[in-house]
Amino acid sequence: MLAVSAPYRGHGIATALVKKAIDTMIDRDADEVVLETEETNIPAMRLYERLGFLRSKKLHRYYLNGNSAYRLVLLLKPIDPDSAADLALDDDGRSISSRRSSVFMEKHSE
């Protein structure tokens, strides 16, 4: 968990901490960084997306308080586009690859 005390927000502390964590994972040869953040935490979502994270999945009622979250992924190494599923979500929080496959199935099941 990452949190910055209210009086110190807006000074780039969270950005610096996340960048340091990413650099450490790169040094340790990680393939990707995966995290979850509450969907209502707009400042965190902006921070992670500004650093290149993509929303990969909406996690409904993920937290004990009943709030949903997004799983965010930052790829640190190139992937093979022929074998990888889409990581991005559409505007409704659904996986683009899942939606494509369901549309494909609907068109070809008749």
Side-chain angles (χ1 to χ4, degrees), residues 51-83:
L51 292 174
F53 285 81
L54 300 173
R55 297 179 195 190
S56 71
K57 184 175 185 178
K58 185 168 183 177
L59 306 167
H60 296 280
R61 295 178 297 284
Y62 182 75
Y63 293 102
L64 293 175
N65 64 6
N67 289 347
S68 296
Y70 280 108
R71 176 166 296 138
L72 299 156
V73 178
L74 176 65
L75 298 175
L76 300 177
K77 295 181 179 177
I79 57 172
D80 179 0
D82 295 329
S83 66

Side-chain angles (χ1 to χ4, degrees), residues 2-39:
L2 171 68
V4 176
S5 184
Y8 301 100
R9 292 179 188 157
H11 299 285
I13 296 169
T15 300
L17 289 169
V18 174
K19 285 181 175 180
K20 181 69 174 166
I22 293 168
D23 289 343
T24 300
M25 291 180 217
I26 291 169
D27 291 344
R28 294 182 180 189
D29 204 30
D31 295 330
E32 63 187 11
V33 180
V34 180
L35 57 88
E36 293 82 23
T37 192
E38 196 165 335
E39 70 177 334

